[in-house]
Amino acid sequence: MLLSLHVKNLALMEETEVEFGPGLNILTGETGAGKSLLIGGIHLALGGKFEKEMLRKGTQSALVELIFSADSPEVIKKLEQLELEPGEDGQVIISRKLQAGKSVCRINGETVTAKQVKELAESLIDIHGQHEHQSLLKKKKHLEILDAYCGPEAEPAASAVRQAYEKCRSLRRALEEETMDETTRAKEQALAEFEYQEIQEAAPVPGEDEELEQKYRLMTNSRRILESLSESRLLSGNDDDGAGQALSRALRSVRSVSGFDERLAELAKQLAEIDSLLADYNRDVAEYMEDCEFDGEDFAAVEERLNILNHLKGKYGNTLEQVICYGQEKERYLEKLADYDAYMEESRKQLREAEKKLEKACCELSGIRKRNGLLLEQKLKEALVHLNFLTVDFRIAVEQEENVTAAGRDNVEFLISTNPGEPLKPLSQVASGGELSRVMLAIKTVLAGRDAIDTLIFDEIDAGISGRTAWRVSEQLDTLAHVHQVICITHLPQIAAMADRHFCIEKSSTEDNTITDIRVLDGEESLGELARLLGSDALTEAALSNAREMRTQAYAHKNREPAMQV
């Protein structure tokens, strides 16, 4: 459930906080007061598109924060998938700081991406605006609605269809790529044989190039290395001017007096260790210098082998491992080409088997959709009758298409007849804007029982309706509010009268400033707002009496104690 909305420096809103309650939350206000700002703020908090023009004039940043009470298993699972920690007392706090050119989203204080926010929002809230009921004019939406009603029952079959479809597409693409005539096959075979033989003849070994490069560096720098080592050996050796000779004399001198004091013996020991280390060093230098003697043939052989290996890497991969893998691929390709007809027949057989599996999965999914379609159309028909479609006939047509997609073979379309004797026709040919909004409300109501989302927001649900139909819409919203938190922006008194919690959005202006704010109304204030919605310019006793009568009628439907005392 959405507990609160906090908005700061967004358009005409300076700073406002709204605390929503369970049941039916109604928002009303004068035209132009900024009712759409509220929904816009929620959209922004949930990762919607932000433009710098949305910032309040004279400010550099804005803040939108939503606090949800959301301890349902679905929300907890989604948080785990997003690697996020749940908040205290099962709360989820979503905030977004908005600045020109950038924004920062957080969930429970942890910085996240807008994509992560949108993923989590799918489990928290469902926002229904005018654009959504216009989407009913597209048949693709009809399939989505039917699948939503099918729910978990259809998921295994739908998953099987998706997997089989991808398998068929992959096999079909491979067949198309590998189909070739005799001339093309001969050219492919000749090229593959050349490349395979070139790699086989070279017989590269993993790591061989690195060893040869190291050896090549030594060979090309051998003269400089030998000159440096010769000088080092001369200075550290046992010649008259060498450090080794001087060190030997120093050791003899210390040893000659080491018997007089233990400390002198220790010094002699240290000097002996140095003399031993220097002797070891000179032996190692001598051995290294012997190894550095390369003849011209060795150098030419190393250089030639490196050229061969680098040539292979330039053609077939960046490393010798990749070159070897390329050769193995060519070997398998040659085996395939050698028995090309049998290979192609086997590929076609695999495709036929995959297509059979796809067809079977499509039939199973279609059966589930048809069964649920019959149930859904009956429930929708009942909901539409309650929404003042008194003579409505509604049908969900599930027909097989020739082409298969990842969603199966079904073409789903909603058909409706709103008058006796008229044939069923597609929604796009019959329904007006007001009728579409009622159809969408009926769909939301029917799906509500299968939907784990706690909060539903309706904007423009009352477009194009009035009178008795408006009462029916308000009753349906109240019924929906028994199992979900419902937040509804409206301009109709029939809907506002049904509120469990009534908010008013107001705009105030001074010479240099305009502010939009929202506040919860008490009983008397709510009656006054109802009187205004009824068209009264002044709060006369007659206008208030009409508002009371409307409130009484609303409570009669609720069949419970008034949420607000009048």
Side-chain angles (χ1 to χ4, degrees):
M1 184 176 76
L2 179 59
L3 299 177
S4 69
L5 164 66
H6 179 207
V7 179
K8 183 177 181 180
N9 294 334
L10 183 66
L12 297 178
M13 288 186 175
E14 188 173 46
E15 184 166 15
T16 188
E17 185 165 353
V18 191
E19 294 185 357
F20 298 104
L24 184 56
N25 296 260
I26 295 294
L27 290 80
T28 60
E30 292 278 6
T31 301
K35 295 189 291 295
S36 61
L37 281 178
L38 201 67
I39 302 299
I42 294 174
H43 271 296
L44 285 174
L46 299 178
K49 184 179 180 182
F50 167 69
E51 297 178 356
K52 64 179 181 180
E53 291 78 12
M54 296 177 179
L55 291 175
R56 180 171 172 78
K57 185 178 179 181
T59 62
Q60 299 300 315
S61 66
L63 175 69
V64 186
E65 182 180 78
L66 304 175
I67 300 179
F68 291 90
S69 172
D71 53 2
S72 68
E74 290 78 9
V75 175
I76 293 173
K77 182 179 179 181
K78 179 59 69 173
L79 286 170
E80 290 176 351
Q81 290 174 350
L82 296 173
E83 298 182 351
L84 296 169
E85 294 293 329
E88 295 182 4
D89 302 322
Q91 290 187 350
V92 173
I93 303 174
I94 299 176
S95 65
R96 187 178 182 189
K97 186 176 182 180
L98 306 159
Q99 293 176 291
K102 66 176 182 178
S103 66
V104 179
C105 299
R106 290 187 173 88
I107 297 177
N108 291 338
E110 186 171 340
T111 302
V112 295
T113 64
K115 181 181 178 182
Q116 287 176 300
V117 173
K118 290 178 180 178
E119 287 184 32
L120 180 60
E122 291 176 356
S123 302
L124 292 171
I125 193 167
D126 182 7
I127 302 176
H128 169 77
Q130 188 173 6
H131 70 282
E132 188 176 1
H133 62 246
Q134 290 295 323
S135 69
L136 284 176
L137 300 178
K138 300 177 181 179
K139 289 196 293 183
K140 180 182 178 182
K141 185 68 174 178
H142 303 175
L143 177 60
E144 293 176 6
I145 292 168
L146 177 55
D147 283 349
Y149 182 78
C150 293
E153 180 187 355
E155 184 50 38
S159 177
V161 168
R162 288 192 296 270
Q163 293 177 14
Y165 175 79
E166 289 301 325
K167 178 69 173 178
C168 286
R169 190 168 68 167
S170 175
L171 290 171
R172 197 174 289 114
R173 184 167 53 243
L175 266 175
E176 291 173 355
E177 291 174 353
E178 293 173 356
T179 299
M180 60 185 81
D181 57 27
E182 289 292 335
T183 302
T184 304
R185 194 195 321 174
K187 290 180 179 178
E188 286 286 316
Q189 189 167 3
L191 176 60
E193 285 176 349
F194 172 79
E195 292 176 336
Y196 174 70
Q197 287 299 325
E198 186 175 31
I199 295 172
Q200 285 294 104
E201 289 173 3
V205 177
E208 177 188 3
D209 52 338
E210 295 175 358
E211 294 178 5
L212 289 174
E213 285 170 0
Q214 174 65 19
K215 193 172 184 179
Y216 184 76
R217 281 195 297 272
L218 289 176
M219 287 180 167
T220 53
N221 293 284
S222 59
R223 176 172 294 181
R224 180 181 174 184
I225 292 171
L226 288 172
E227 288 176 353
S228 297
L229 290 179
S230 294
E231 183 179 4
S232 173
R233 189 179 180 191
L234 181 66
L235 294 172
S236 62
N238 291 316
D239 294 338
D240 292 339
D241 296 328
Q245 184 66 28
L247 188 60
S248 296
R249 290 198 299 269
L251 181 59
R252 285 195 298 273
S253 295
V254 175
R255 279 176 173 170
S256 67
V257 295
S258 61
F260 300 118
D261 191 345
E262 290 183 359
R263 294 171 61 190
L264 291 171
E266 183 64 27
L267 291 174
K269 182 178 178 182
Q270 292 178 9
L271 201 57
E273 290 176 355
I274 296 172
D275 183 56
S276 177
L277 288 173
L278 187 60
D280 290 343
Y281 168 76
N282 281 309
R283 281 194 300 273
D284 291 342
V285 167
E287 291 177 3
Y288 191 95
M289 291 177 67
E290 290 180 6
D291 292 339
C292 273
E293 295 177 358
F294 307 108
D295 59 33
E297 291 184 1
D298 289 341
F299 182 80
V302 169
E303 187 174 42
E304 182 182 3
R305 181 61 177 172
L306 267 179
N307 287 336
I308 292 173
L309 296 180
N310 288 331
H311 171 73
L312 291 177
K313 290 194 292 185
K315 289 179 67 176
Y316 306 125
N318 295 322
T319 65
L320 289 185
E321 288 82 355
Q322 292 177 351
V323 171
I324 293 168
C325 286
Y326 187 88
Q328 293 169 346
E329 289 175 5
K330 289 301 165 182
E331 183 178 17
R332 290 191 293 270
Y333 187 53
L334 285 169
E335 291 174 356
K336 181 170 66 178
L337 291 178
D339 200 5
Y340 177 77
D341 292 336
Y343 169 78
M344 293 299 290
E345 180 55 36
E346 178 61 26
S347 297
R348 284 189 283 267
K349 179 182 176 182
Q350 291 178 8
L351 177 58
R352 289 193 296 269
E353 291 174 353
E355 287 174 340
K356 288 179 181 178
K357 290 182 179 180
L358 175 59
E359 186 61 31
K360 182 179 178 182
C362 285
C363 289
E364 184 178 351
L365 179 58
S366 182
I368 295 171
R369 284 170 173 164
K370 287 178 180 178
R371 288 196 305 273
N372 282 274
L374 293 173
L375 298 173
L376 178 58
E377 71 179 26
Q378 183 59 38
K379 290 180 179 294
L380 287 177
K381 193 182 298 184
E382 293 171 1
L384 289 171
V385 169
H386 189 74
L387 288 169
N388 218 31
F389 284 95
L390 299 181
T391 57
V392 70
D393 190 11
F394 189 85
R395 188 80 50 81
I396 298 178
V398 182
E399 298 178 352
Q400 298 278 297
E401 287 188 330
E402 182 178 350
N403 296 325
V404 181
T405 69
R409 195 186 285 279
D410 296 316
N411 176 27
V412 177
E413 186 169 21
F414 292 171
L415 306 174
I416 192 170
S417 170
T418 57
N419 296 303
E422 288 188 357
L424 288 161
K425 293 182 180 179
L427 281 175
S428 58
Q429 298 179 20
V430 178
S432 64
E435 289 171 331
L436 281 176
S437 65
R438 282 186 285 160
V439 172
M440 182 57 83
L441 178 57
I443 291 169
K444 294 288 184 182
T445 303
V446 172
L447 293 182
R450 302 194 175 204
D451 197 344
I453 297 175
D454 285 333
T455 301
L456 305 177
I457 296 182
F458 291 96
D459 186 19
E460 302 287 346
I461 196 66
D462 54 11
I465 63 173
S466 60
R468 180 58 187 159
T469 300
W471 271 117
R472 291 300 186 93
V473 169
S474 71
E475 292 169 356
Q476 197 77 6
L477 287 171
D478 180 64
T479 300
L480 196 56
H482 280 75
V483 291
H484 292 269
Q485 179 193 43
V486 177
I487 300 171
C488 180
I489 295 177
T490 185
H491 65 276
L492 292 180
Q494 295 93 330
I495 294 177
M498 200 67 71
D500 293 314
R501 195 170 176 86
H502 190 174
F503 300 87
C504 183
I505 301 175
E506 301 169 319
K507 183 167 66 175
S508 59
S509 300
T510 61
E511 291 183 0
D512 58 354
N513 196 16
T514 300
I515 295 176
T516 288
D517 203 0
I518 181 171
R519 63 188 181 89
V520 64
L521 302 179
D522 61 24
E524 288 297 329
E525 290 174 323
S526 180
L527 279 179
E529 179 67 3
L530 286 180
R532 183 191 68 78
L533 292 173
L534 284 165
S536 176
D537 292 331
L539 293 182
T540 63
E541 185 55 39
L544 290 173
S545 178
N546 287 339
R548 287 191 185 94
E549 184 178 352
M550 184 166 283
R551 177 60 57 76
T552 300
Q553 186 176 346
Y555 287 153
H557 169 77
K558 288 174 175 291
N559 194 27
R560 61 176 186 255
E561 289 297 317
M564 295 177 291
Q565 297 298 323
V566 181

